[in-house]
Amino acid sequence: MVEWFFGYLAGAVILLSILVVLSRNPVHSVLWMLLMFLHVAGLYLLLNAEFLAATQVIVYAGAILVLFLFVVMLLNLKEELRIKRFTGGWPFRLLIAAGILIILKKVLDGFKVGFKGPWSIEAIEQATHTKALGKVLFTEYILPFEIASLILLVAIIGAVFLAKKRLRT
Amino acid sequence: MVPLYWYLWLGSVVFAVGIFGFLTRRNIIIMFLSIELMLNGVNISLVALSHYMQDLRGQILVFFVIAVAAAEAAIGLAIIIAMFRNKATLHADEIAEMKG
């Protein structure tokens, strides 16, 4: 049963990501991406990562993609639809992507799971998932967490600075 | 029970599709979306490894990836707007002023 769910979600994710790359209109691209993010959230649910699934839906699908859609609709895309979709050397670039895929497959074939950590499903179930995540995030990873907040602050300032109108001096 | 291998393979396929999109498309918005695709492929692998190795650190890493992706989207879209204001194009090959 779980295998069928996984098959559906994986097939949808791959198909939708190909559609994102191939569609001519950026608006369609963003909408396919939205659907793909929802399917990825479904995959996270299958992997017992429900907090991450919620984060995926809220932050990725709800915030980042709406930002993308907003910008796409701000810009005038009439003449963009008429130019060629791909660069000239696309078969070569397809070859590069396929080569990377083959290398990844070779690496995956030799991969073995190492020794297991302390957070088995029962342990997470006992502590509840959000609490378990918070315990790890706010003790072991507190410094990276603060640095992430700094990155977001820099991004806010940079975005405001870049997108504002230049003042005539 | 779905094997770990399938999840890792799915993540690699999504990553490769993102690389293909980034290399072939010249529309800047779609190039950004391809970067997001690559990040999502990595995220899938990280969550799968976190589940099968029974360690929550993979999911913590996914949080940081999402935070960086949000920052990157904000900066990137601001750059796109500034660029469109100056050149009125979204085609990456037409912006070549920095080329020597």
Side-chain angles (χ1 to χ4, degrees):
Chain A
M1 191 64 192
V2 179
E3 282 86 355
W4 286 103
F5 270 119
F6 174 81
Y8 162 68
L9 289 169
V13 164
I14 292 174
L15 189 73
L16 288 169
S17 57
I18 290 172
L19 277 175
V20 168
V21 168
L22 293 188
S23 62
R24 180 173 285 266
N25 192 335
V27 179
H28 295 170
S29 228
V30 175
L31 291 176
W32 290 129
M33 194 85 183
L34 181 67
L35 214 55
M36 195 207 106
F37 280 160
L38 295 180
H39 281 92
V40 171
L43 274 177
Y44 290 170
L45 279 183
L46 272 190
L47 287 166
N48 286 325
E50 55 265 15
F51 190 78
L52 269 181
T55 312
Q56 173 91 5
V57 171
I58 293 171
V59 176
Y60 252 128
I64 297 182
L65 276 189
V66 169
L67 197 66
F68 267 97
L69 263 186
F70 195 64
V71 168
V72 169
M73 290 177 177
L74 265 180
L75 307 176
N76 179 20
L77 296 173
K78 288 274 161 49
E79 76 270 21
E80 293 297 324
L81 297 182
R82 263 180 259 122
I83 57 177
K84 266 201 326 197
R85 221 172 3 163
F86 293 122
T87 47
W90 70 267
F92 177 61
R93 289 153 207 237
L94 181 63
L95 214 66
I96 293 176
I100 287 173
L101 193 59
I102 289 169
I103 291 172
L104 282 174
K105 180 164 168 47
K106 289 284 173 213
V107 171
L108 284 185
D109 283 341
F111 177 75
K112 280 197 193 69
V113 178
F115 52 86
K116 300 202 163 150
W119 291 101
S120 62
I121 296 176
E122 291 77 30
I124 292 176
E125 203 176 14
Q126 208 175 9
T128 70
H129 186 236
T130 312
K131 200 170 170 185
L133 267 183
K135 258 182 196 159
V136 180
L137 183 60
F138 291 125
T139 54
E140 203 176 335
Y141 285 86
I142 187 70
L143 184 65
F145 180 76
E146 298 292 341
I147 294 173
S149 72
L150 200 65
I151 289 175
L152 287 173
L153 178 70
V154 170
I156 293 169
I157 297 172
V160 170
F161 178 74
L162 282 170
K164 75 168 194 218
K165 279 215 168 71
R166 292 276 178 274
L167 297 174
R168 302 256 176 259
T169 49
Chain B
M1 195 70 178
V2 186
L4 171 63
Y5 186 78
W6 292 6
Y7 281 104
L8 296 179
W9 181 232
L10 172 66
S12 336
V13 170
V14 174
F15 188 83
V17 171
I19 285 181
F20 173 71
F22 188 78
L23 291 178
T24 50
R25 298 301 300 259
R26 294 289 89 170
N27 187 321
I28 293 199
I29 289 174
I30 295 182
M31 286 168 80
F32 265 104
L33 284 178
S34 302
I35 295 176
E36 302 285 333
L37 270 183
M38 287 192 257
L39 289 174
N40 261 280
V42 175
N43 279 354
I44 292 171
S45 312
L46 279 174
V47 176
L49 282 171
S50 155
H51 178 64
Y52 283 91
M53 296 179 78
Q54 303 185 349
D55 197 331
L56 283 178
R57 285 176 197 157
Q59 301 188 19
I60 303 287
L61 276 177
V62 173
F63 272 119
F64 293 133
V65 169
I66 290 178
V68 171
E72 173 242 328
I75 295 274
L77 292 171
I79 290 176
I80 289 175
I81 287 181
M83 200 182 89
F84 195 78
R85 195 178 281 149
N86 288 327
K87 299 273 294 186
T89 181
L90 282 182
H91 201 257
D93 285 345
E94 289 181 21
I95 302 119
E97 274 81 15
M98 301 266 281
K99 209 184 268 177

